Amino acid sequence: MSLSALTKPWAATSYGFLDASAKRELRRKMLKAIAVPGCQMPYASREVPMARGWGTGGLQVTLTLVNPASTIKVIDQGADDGVNAASIRRFISRVSGATETWDTLGASIIQSRHRVPEETLGADQILVLQVPNPEPLRGVEPNMSIARQMHADADYGRLWLTLYEQIVRKGRIMQGAAYPSLVNGRHVMTPSPIPRWDVPKLHMAKHLTFLSAGREKRLHAVPPYTRVEPLVFSDRPYRVEDHADLVCRRSGISGYFMNEIPQDHGGSAFEVSDSNLGIKAIRRAEGEPVEIGATWYQDGEFSA
Amino acid sequence: MSIDMTSAPAALLPPQLMRTEALLTMSGLSKTYGSVRALRNVDVTVYPGEVMGIVGESGSGKSTLLRMMNLEDTPDQGDYRLQLPGKDDDNLFALDRYQRRMLCAHHIGIVYQNPHQGLLMRHSSSGNVAERLLIAGERSFDVLRSKARDALDASEFPLARMDARPAELSGGMQQRVQLAKAIALEPALLLLDEPTTGLDVSVQALVLDTLKRLQRDRRITMVLVSHDLGVIRTMADRVLVMRHGEVVERGLADQVFQDPQHPYTQQLVHAKL
């Protein structure tokens, strides 16, 4: 039997690297994930030309969503120009015919590693977050069978207890990223290792968010206009990183999440983490007609 | 020989309980693990405010019975009813896992023989108490802290060490943390599974004093399992003697210890003496 005999004939859906049956399975799981917000759906994570742990979960979801009319943006820790981000973006574009972009406003699909762009996403955009560990209970319950029962019973007391212990030991909640958040009042999810700064951007957002872990073979979703509430005590309000007053040394903008760059003299300099926003700000300052969209934060205060 | 006294319960009750409706009623409990019959047609009735002692040798079924009371296990046959304000008098074994968990969180406290079973060793002592409050839905840090402090204080735990991890504490202290965790929500029923086993005599006496004081001050209904007749004699109002999964004798504690009827109880009492 020849290879061509085993291969399905070309069809209009034959793009995006994954075969049609793989995409169908992923789409079904994605629809389930939308139907039960925050609930982890297992899926048969396929081999893609990238090592597991480098964004294969996000890539498979993106390849399932993408079509030749899509415009794709890929960011790695906020930057469009990282090697990983550029390679993934180019790969997706090459296998699907989708247009590449750095512009948040122009993208229809945004695949991201650990950041949500600063510009507000719209109803016609989909955010795909790469997730290393989708199980928020792993730190408190190593037995995954029991963890699944705990999800079924909404038994999240030990996650709260972890936060209680942090306040007792350190005087404040120390959870920096992957802050456990209650989705639609039912399931607690880990919103991938996005910083605390980004978690409020998922609450009642217009856009659809998928969070996918290729190595762990699980995905979950936050549909548009869904409540995403970080676990907080009623008398200890949720606090984002103290970045409101930091100024980007390149673009001069402030009030956004910054990367800290250690300096030789022992101090730190800061650069805006969303590189595309920084570039837009620089170009606008140089007199170019650049459109900067509305941002989730205004002057360091969440406003959306 | 089994002495069935369930037909005349009033004669077996301390005077203060004679007109009281039972808090806990278990009837016809049977449980088999493989070829081992752990419980055979066991009936138990516990009245509000009393301390029911369960004695028997290892393997007699007393811990299995306690696990059933804590809804950790389900018998092959039998009913379990708790008279709780605002709750239906349904068979609790018919509840699903979630309902059992919520009922236990609010109404039943348990102290295990082994603190590793009842405590989270990586968390602080106050955190262990707070966990129970968190399961019951408390979401204020200050309230959690203050209720944990109150429960630890009531268990005579030194508050200066309330944030120490149980692994850093002595056995007696660990039992006090378990006790604080169990009483934090003022449960209707407190189950004590060999709470003093493994402790030295002086610490045992301190833990028993604390239990007695709690029972006196808060009128907590307790079911105390032990193979130590001295502990049962000190604590219990009524006693249930078990052997090979069966109740062989039951009655007022003084009555059972002074005038045991069943040969096995006589053997137990005399062995102790």
Side-chain angles (χ1 to χ4, degrees), chain B residues 7 12 27 40 54-55 102 137 165 173 177 183-184 212 236 257:
Chain B
S7 56
L12 297 169
S27 52
R40 299 178 194 205
I54 303 177
V55 289
M102 295 317 287
R165 293 185 175 92
M173 289 293 176
V177 178
I183 62 166
K212 270 198 239 173
F257 285 113

Side-chain angles (χ1 to χ4, degrees), chain A residues 75 77-78 112-119 127 129 176-179 181 189 191-203 205 207 209 228 230 238-241 256-258 273-274 296-297 302:
Chain A
I75 48 177
Q77 299 282 14
S112 169
R113 176 172 172 264
H114 313 341
R115 279 306 317 275
V116 178
E118 297 287 2
E119 285 168 290
L127 176 67
L129 287 168
Y179 197 99
S181 304
M189 71 160 186
S192 86
I194 57 173
R196 290 199 304 265
W197 183 271
D198 285 347
V199 176
K201 298 175 184 174
L202 301 178
H203 177 65
H207 68 276
T209 305
V228 177
Y238 182 75
R239 291 186 63 183
V240 299
E241 290 82 352
Y256 301 104
F257 191 77
M258 298 284 167
S273 169
D274 185 338
W296 307 96
Y297 285 83
F302 191 76

Side-chain angles (χ1 to χ4, degrees), chain A residues 103-262:
Chain A
D103 183 8
T104 302
L105 299 179
S108 57
I109 302 171
I110 300 166
Q111 181 174 328
S112 169
R113 176 172 172 264
H114 313 341
R115 279 306 317 275
V116 178
E118 297 287 2
E119 285 168 290
T120 311
L121 301 182
D124 55 348
Q125 293 178 297
I126 299 175
L127 176 67
V128 180
L129 287 168
Q130 301 169 198
V131 183
N133 178 11
E135 181 50 75
L137 293 168
R138 178 157 288 175
V140 297
E141 179 49 69
N143 184 329
M144 286 301 101
S145 297
I146 296 175
R148 278 192 281 278
Q149 281 188 2
M150 290 167 77
H151 278 295
D153 292 347
D155 177 6
Y156 298 123
R158 288 200 192 169
L159 287 175
W160 291 93
L161 182 57
T162 306
L163 303 176
Y164 172 93
E165 291 288 325
Q166 289 174 8
I167 298 176
V168 166
R169 305 262 172 229
K170 309 285 182 187
R172 65 186 175 92
I173 291 174
M174 301 295 289
Q175 188 87 25
Y179 197 99
S181 304
L182 187 66
V183 183
N184 203 30
R186 175 59 184 84
H187 286 93
V188 169
M189 71 160 186
T190 170
S192 86
I194 57 173
R196 290 199 304 265
W197 183 271
D198 285 347
V199 176
K201 298 175 184 174
L202 301 178
H203 177 65
M204 298 304 282
K206 292 176 191 164
H207 68 276
L208 165 64
T209 305
F210 283 109
L211 303 100
S212 178
R215 188 172 43 196
E216 302 289 328
K217 303 178 175 62
R218 282 174 185 272
L219 64 88
H220 51 288
V222 179
Y225 302 103
T226 302
R227 283 178 291 138
V228 177
E229 296 153 313
L231 301 188
V232 282
F233 293 107
S234 56
D235 44 6
R236 294 289 189 281
Y238 182 75
R239 291 186 63 183
V240 299
E241 290 82 352
D242 207 6
H243 286 199
D245 298 329
L246 302 178
V247 180
C248 175
R249 68 171 178 180
R250 290 192 176 187
S251 62
I253 58 175
S254 63
Y256 301 104
F257 191 77
M258 298 284 167
N259 293 335
E260 185 174 0
I261 319 284

Side-chain angles (χ1 to χ4, degrees), chain B residues 42-270:
Chain B
V42 171
D43 297 330
V44 188
T45 308
V46 181
Y47 292 86
E50 75 165 333
V51 179
M52 164 69 87
I54 303 177
V55 289
E57 62 197 4
S58 297
S60 60
K62 49 191 195 305
S63 289
T64 303
L65 184 57
L66 207 75
R67 279 208 307 278
M68 303 264 177
M69 288 180 183
N70 199 37
L71 293 168
E72 291 172 48
D73 208 344
T74 304
D76 302 327
Q77 286 174 20
D79 278 6
Y80 178 14
R81 294 171 202 283
L82 273 181
Q83 284 289 340
L84 298 168
K87 295 273 178 192
D88 295 334
D89 184 23
D90 294 336
N91 179 13
L92 300 184
F93 291 129
L95 300 181
D96 63 27
R97 193 182 60 232
Y98 175 77
Q99 291 169 319
R100 286 180 183 210
R101 193 170 66 84
M102 295 317 287
L103 185 114
C104 289
H106 285 92
H107 302 293
I108 303 174
I110 186 162
V111 175
Y112 294 97
Q113 176 184 350
N114 182 356
H116 283 266
Q117 204 178 340
L119 296 177
L120 301 164
M121 291 294 170
R122 287 192 308 159
H123 293 282
S124 64
S125 301
S126 67
N128 271 278
V129 182
E131 191 213 4
R132 191 166 175 84
L133 302 162
L134 285 164
I135 291 170
E138 181 56 61
R139 293 291 179 262
S140 159
F141 178 81
D142 291 338
V143 173
L144 285 170
R145 196 90 180 126
S146 117
K147 285 192 175 173
R149 186 182 290 115
D150 292 347
L152 287 164
D153 195 28
S155 306
E156 292 168 5
F157 182 90
L159 293 181
R161 304 204 67 192
M162 68 184 278
D163 292 327
R165 293 185 175 92
E168 300 161 3
L169 303 172
S170 67
M173 289 293 176
Q174 289 178 350
Q175 289 304 64
R176 284 175 195 284
V177 178
Q178 277 209 83
L179 189 56
K181 185 175 181 174
I183 62 166
L185 280 170
E186 309 224 337
L189 181 65
L190 179 59
L191 308 174
L192 304 154
D193 187 6
E194 310 259 12
T196 55
T197 305
L199 304 179
D200 63 56
V201 180
S202 58
V203 178
Q204 232 181 59
L206 289 172
V207 172
L208 289 177
D209 280 348
T210 307
L211 286 172
K212 270 198 239 173
R213 193 183 48 72
L214 279 172
Q215 208 274 330
R216 191 185 60 235
D217 296 349
R218 301 190 179 200
R219 303 296 301 159
I220 299 178
T221 310
M222 297 183 183
V223 177
L224 170 62
V225 162
S226 182
H227 58 253
D228 185 336
L229 294 193
V231 169
I232 295 288
R233 199 167 195 168
T234 311
M235 291 290 301
D237 298 312
R238 288 193 304 140
V239 175
L240 207 108
V241 184
M242 293 190 73
R243 191 186 194 199
H244 300 322
E246 285 183 297
V247 177
V248 294
E249 187 164 350
R250 70 180 85 211
L252 293 173
D254 289 344
Q255 193 181 345
V256 170
F257 285 113
Q258 284 168 17
D259 184 20
Q261 299 294 307
H262 192 277
Y264 174 67
T265 317
Q266 290 167 357
Q267 198 183 332
L268 272 181
V269 172
H270 293 135

